[in-house]
């Protein structure tokens, strides 16, 4: 039967790759790459570098173009579902057409596949349609959250206190609902205006472009907005994560 690996490759530093992930890459016959276009070509390049270093020839690389996603609609959940279903069709075609009956294919996933990534949901959607059969395994990776707390030399958890993991959109709607809040995918700096919190913010974690800022929200919010806007304008994209901790 066809075999699929969903491999977490870390937040951006090639050294984030675990021994388990390196072995998975070495065992792969076909690597599936979803191309996000020229703006994010460096993200594809990192995957290609990891394949070149850890893959065992003869392997193949099969690519599909990532479908466009409507980021302007207020119907956010519906837009994500539509985009994910179209991406699932593209990935299904790769698995069906490019992976032999007894071969192993792999998707190399940023960070950890279980933290705000669509790959596992896409794999389950493909299996649910029943057009192609395969077994799959998930290889965990170093998430941007782990990289963030390590680079800021702080812990994610505190004794007897929960941690809330959310998105910028939800933070803007609900506010901070816990003493410790991890926020991902925040395009609008929803932390601004939160009093009584310390922020540990990071962008492009693990890469040469890494940016770190920390301090009381009231003191560093404007600085984060400024460096974030400048970095996004310069590179054309940004991936950032932050931890809010009640002072």
């Amino acid at each position: 039967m066809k075999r699929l690996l969903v491999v977490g490759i870390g937040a951006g530093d090639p050294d984030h790759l675990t021994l388990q992930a390196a072995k998975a890459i070495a065992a792969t016959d076909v690597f599936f790459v979803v191309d996000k276009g020229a703006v994010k070509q460096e993200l594809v390049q990192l995957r290609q570098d990891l394949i070149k270093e850890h893959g065992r020839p003869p392997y193949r690389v099969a690519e599909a173009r990532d479908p466009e996603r409507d980021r302007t609609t207020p119907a956010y959940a519906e837009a994500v579902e539509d985009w994910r279903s179209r991406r699932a069709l593209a990935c299904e075609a790769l698995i069906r057409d490019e992976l032999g009956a007894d071969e192993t294919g792999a998707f190399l996933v940023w960070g950890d596949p279980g933290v705000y990534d669509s790959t596992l949901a896409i794999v389950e959607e493909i299996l649910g349609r029943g057009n192609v059969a395969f077994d799959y395994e998930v290889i965990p990776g170093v998430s941007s959250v782990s990289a963030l707390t390590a680079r800021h030399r702080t812990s994610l958890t505190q004794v007897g206190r929960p941690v809330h993991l959310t998105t910028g959109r939800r933070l803007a709607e609900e506010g901070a609902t816990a003493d410790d809040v991890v926020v991902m995918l925040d395009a609008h700096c929803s932390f601004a205006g939160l009093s009584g919190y310390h922020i540990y913010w990071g962008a492009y974690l693990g890469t040469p472009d890494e940016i770190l800022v920390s301090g009381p929200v009231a003191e560093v919010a404007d600085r984060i907005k400024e460096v974030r806007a400048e970095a996004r304008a310069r590179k054309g994209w940004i991936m950032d994560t932050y931890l809010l901790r009640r002072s």
Side-chain angles (χ1 to χ4, degrees), residues 115-177:
V115 182
Y116 281 123
D117 184 83
S118 64
T119 307
L120 296 183
I122 285 172
V123 169
E124 285 294 330
E125 183 173 333
I126 294 170
L127 284 173
R129 281 201 287 262
N131 297 325
V132 58
F134 56 89
D135 189 18
Y136 79 96
E137 181 180 353
V138 180
I139 312 299
V142 175
S143 71
S144 62
V145 179
S146 297
L148 175 78
T149 54
R151 293 295 290 128
H152 279 290
R153 298 182 295 182
T154 190
S155 63
L156 175 62
T157 59
Q158 298 191 78
V159 176
R161 285 165 57 165
V163 175
H164 183 56
L165 180 64
T166 190
T167 65
R169 181 181 294 269
R170 296 298 296 269
L171 181 69
E173 294 173 353
E174 302 169 358
T177 58

Side-chain angles (χ1 to χ4, degrees), residues 4-209:
L4 186 67
L5 302 174
V6 182
V7 184
I9 60 172
D13 186 338
D15 288 342
H16 285 170
L17 198 71
T18 66
L19 291 175
Q20 185 184 21
K23 290 176 182 177
I25 292 174
T28 296
D29 300 299
V30 187
F31 295 94
F32 302 123
V33 175
V34 179
D35 186 358
K36 294 178 178 291
V39 171
K40 293 188 176 180
Q41 182 57 36
E42 62 189 287
L43 302 183
V44 175
Q45 186 61 52
L46 175 61
R47 289 183 174 91
Q48 293 173 341
D49 291 343
L50 292 175
I51 292 168
K52 184 177 180 180
E53 181 173 355
H54 299 284
R56 290 183 182 172
Y59 56 76
R60 308 188 304 281
V61 177
E63 296 188 15
R65 187 60 185 263
D66 197 24
E68 294 295 328
R69 177 175 149 196
D70 186 357
R71 298 179 181 273
T72 62
T73 176
Y76 175 78
E78 292 82 355
V80 170
E81 284 297 321
D82 174 69
W83 163 79
R84 193 168 69 187
S85 290
R86 287 183 287 118
R87 186 184 242 206
L89 289 172
C91 292
E92 180 178 313
L94 287 175
I95 298 169
R96 182 191 65 229
D97 300 337
E98 303 292 343
L99 188 62
D102 297 314
E103 289 186 319
T104 297
F107 287 100
L108 305 187
V109 176
W110 281 101
D112 182 272
V115 182
Y116 281 123
D117 184 83
S118 64
T119 307
L120 296 183
I122 285 172
V123 169
E124 285 294 330
E125 183 173 333
I126 294 170
L127 284 173
R129 281 201 287 262
N131 297 325
V132 58
F134 56 89
D135 189 18
Y136 79 96
E137 181 180 353
V138 180
I139 312 299
V142 175
S143 71
S144 62
V145 179
S146 297
L148 175 78
T149 54
R151 293 295 290 128
H152 279 290
R153 298 182 295 182
T154 190
S155 63
L156 175 62
T157 59
Q158 298 191 78
V159 176
R161 285 165 57 165
V163 175
H164 183 56
L165 180 64
T166 190
T167 65
R169 181 181 294 269
R170 296 298 296 269
L171 181 69
E173 294 173 353
E174 302 169 358
T177 58
D179 290 338
D180 298 283
V181 183
V182 174
V183 183
M184 306 174 73
L185 310 175
D186 187 2
H188 303 291
C189 297
S190 303
F191 54 81
L194 288 176
S195 61
Y197 278 88
H198 192 101
I199 187 170
Y200 300 90
W201 180 86
Y204 312 114
L205 292 158
T207 75
D209 296 308

